[in-house]
Amino acid sequence: MRTTSLFAALAAAKTALAKGPFLQQVTPTQWIIGNDLWNVTQGATYATNLQYQGSDAVGKAQGHYAGVDGEANLVYTSAKIVSNSQDYIDVAFSSSLGDLHWVIYPDLAGAYQYFVNKALPDLSIFRTLWRLDPALFTYGFNTNKNEKLPDFSLYANAPEIQDETFQFPDGSYVTKYDFANYVRERDFVGVFGDQTGSWYIHPTNEYQPGNHLSQTLTVHRESATGDAVQLNVVQDTSHFRVGVKTPQPVGKIWGPWLWYLNNGSVSDARTRAAHERATFPYSFLNNTAYHSRGSIKGKLTLSDGRPAAGAAVFLGDTDTSIRPLVQGSNYYYTTFADASGSFSIPNVRSGSYGLIAASNGGVIGDVYTNFTSPVTISKDKTADLGSLTWTVPLNEKIFQIGDFDKKATGFTNSGLHVHGLTEKSPANLTYTVGVSKTSDWYYASSKLGSWDVVFNTSAPSKTAKALLSVSLAGYSQSTSLTIYLNGNKTIGTITKDALTSDPALYRSGTISGEWRFLQYEIAASDLKAGKNVLSFTTDRYTLWRGILWDSIILEWIV
């Protein structure tokens, strides 16, 4: 059981009479910060004794801390007020790796936070988090889920079947990945109960790495202690993708975001999130580069004349050959084109970027090429790219299953993060082009067996070639799959020898992981006039692993 030192108790008594934001040092490595509504005791690593609504919201839990990859947590050696206005104070807790700032206003339950890098190593993960009293915080919330956290008592008889994944006596699974979601779809996440809520509100995602498909963790029940865990993962080039460590420039800023306390009301947190988006960028941040911003706009048209309606637009690293999911050293922006192919992004930090546009399904769901272009953003100016032509092949489609959106959208069992759904996919399946629906295909292949696509075609000429494009939303080894034509012709293989594993499928991912794109040429002589069968045969089975599907298209090359 955690106890408060005599010094901390005396300091707390003094601050009870304090007015407005404050920082008070208790020992060389212990401080109290807060205002009239809340205060917390910060130690060398952990912040505990969160006083709010007349009680300690941390209790026996671990409290607040920050760190990189695993449990390499920051160790603070000093704290000081670096900015003090009539409206707020900016308190910086310094570590050898960087400074974590708390910007405290007098009437705000919570604080703005941001981290400034001094000497971070190349890394995959950087996060701050709260581990809070499970008796007060019983529910978890993110964009996709608003659910009660699993009762801690259930873990007692639940075997751990893989990292932080447990099977309850009724056969159901629970994992910390169940509450994962797409970073750029969320603006606030939190844990809450009947009387108290703790939220992370992000007015922008510019300091988050990766493109639209970047996913990370949000909230969960800590299996070892029962703590309610509220995660703020602001750097992640590891989970749900083929992970890498990325270098971090000195002076890079993650944030500011708002850590917000309330009475547990989700609607109030949503209203506050809208307010934060409207006030971004924040005037309190004293950083010239942060306030040097411009905007970008343009219009994408496919080379066949169609507007690139709904295209996913990503503003990332100047080197567009770097996989978007693991771009993580700079600042990143995303949007979607409208029905005319037009897009715009405001409040972009000045600098050089690489623009990548890709199909997000819908009316351009047959497009598997990407569009790229260099972009320069200047302060107080709009980078008007004008009309942009996106080159697409003019091949003749034979059939297509699923839209190209780098997701398993539209296939059966694709949706929320749920562990073990690969086992609900059939071992054998027949999909008849012109008869079957997209939903007759399943989001993932795993079991030993064959998924057969029956289609009709006739070759335009004896020398014609067909092109089979296989787009995977993810792949988890060591599943192996062989593609056959008409029972005996091997078209290609998908194995761990050709593809590096990503963990999406076995970490509850049912929509996407790391996108892969494979193409195979087929001679006209290998196809029959009339009925043909393409077989996707799984010949090596691995529990919860497999192929996560995006789209399959067969075309005559024009």
Side-chain angles (χ1 to χ4, degrees), residues 161-369:
I161 55 177
Q162 63 178 31
D163 69 309
E164 283 298 311
T165 304
F166 301 84
Q167 186 170 21
F168 287 162
D170 65 0
S172 65
Y173 301 104
V174 64
T175 167
K176 69 178 183 180
Y177 303 105
D178 289 344
F179 273 88
N181 73 351
Y182 290 99
V183 169
R184 297 177 184 276
E185 291 182 1
R186 69 174 187 246
D187 53 4
F188 70 104
V189 301
V191 291
F192 66 96
D194 294 336
Q195 297 180 327
T196 310
S198 179
W199 311 90
Y200 281 123
I201 296 174
H202 294 271
T204 175
N205 297 116
E206 68 183 16
Y207 42 83
Q208 304 269 11
N211 64 354
H212 307 69
L213 300 179
S214 181
Q215 303 172 71
T216 195
L217 308 177
T218 59
V219 300
H220 64 88
R221 170 81 70 208
E222 173 56 45
S223 63
T225 63
D227 296 355
V229 181
Q230 177 192 357
L231 286 160
N232 183 43
V233 184
V234 291
Q235 180 79 16
D236 188 347
T237 53
S238 176
H239 293 109
F240 302 100
R241 72 207 84 192
V242 179
V244 300
K245 293 181 183 292
T246 57
Q248 302 304 318
V250 173
K252 180 179 176 180
I253 295 175
W254 285 268
W257 57 83
L258 174 62
W259 165 60
Y260 181 60
L261 292 165
N262 71 1
N263 63 357
S265 169
V266 174
S267 62
D268 172 69
R270 181 175 287 109
T271 298
R272 185 74 200 201
H275 169 78
E276 298 306 319
R277 290 194 300 274
T279 55
F280 168 80
Y282 296 127
S283 60
F284 62 74
L285 185 56
N286 184 21
N287 180 277
T288 301
Y290 175 80
H291 293 288
S292 179
R293 296 175 180 271
S295 61
I296 181 176
K297 68 177 182 178
K299 184 176 182 179
L300 286 160
T301 303
L302 305 183
S303 56
D304 61 13
R306 290 180 291 164
V313 179
F314 173 58
L315 205 57
D317 292 343
T318 55
D319 184 354
T320 55
S321 68
I322 300 174
R323 295 167 12 237
L325 266 185
V326 296
Q327 294 186 22
S329 297
N330 300 301
Y331 300 96
Y332 303 95
Y333 303 85
T334 57
T335 191
F336 295 96
D338 65 17
S340 71
S342 297
F343 65 91
S344 63
I345 307 175
N347 289 318
V348 179
R349 281 172 168 261
S350 300
S352 297
Y353 296 88
L355 184 147
I356 301 177
S359 170
N360 190 45
V363 296
I364 63 167
D366 59 329
V367 175
Y368 48 77
T369 62

Side-chain angles (χ1 to χ4, degrees), residues 10-21:
L10 292 173
K14 290 181 181 180
T15 56
L17 301 175
K19 294 297 180 184

Side-chain angles (χ1 to χ4, degrees), residues 48-59:
T48 58
N49 191 25
L50 171 57
Q51 292 295 317
Y52 179 62
Q53 298 174 327
S55 65
D56 179 6
V58 170

Side-chain angles (χ1 to χ4, degrees), residues 503-525:
L505 274 179
Y506 60 85
R507 285 181 172 171
S508 302
T510 65
I511 300 177
S512 70
E514 179 87 40
W515 176 63
R516 328 295 170 84
F517 187 67
L518 309 168
Q519 289 187 308
Y520 311 92
E521 284 193 357
I522 301 174
S525 57

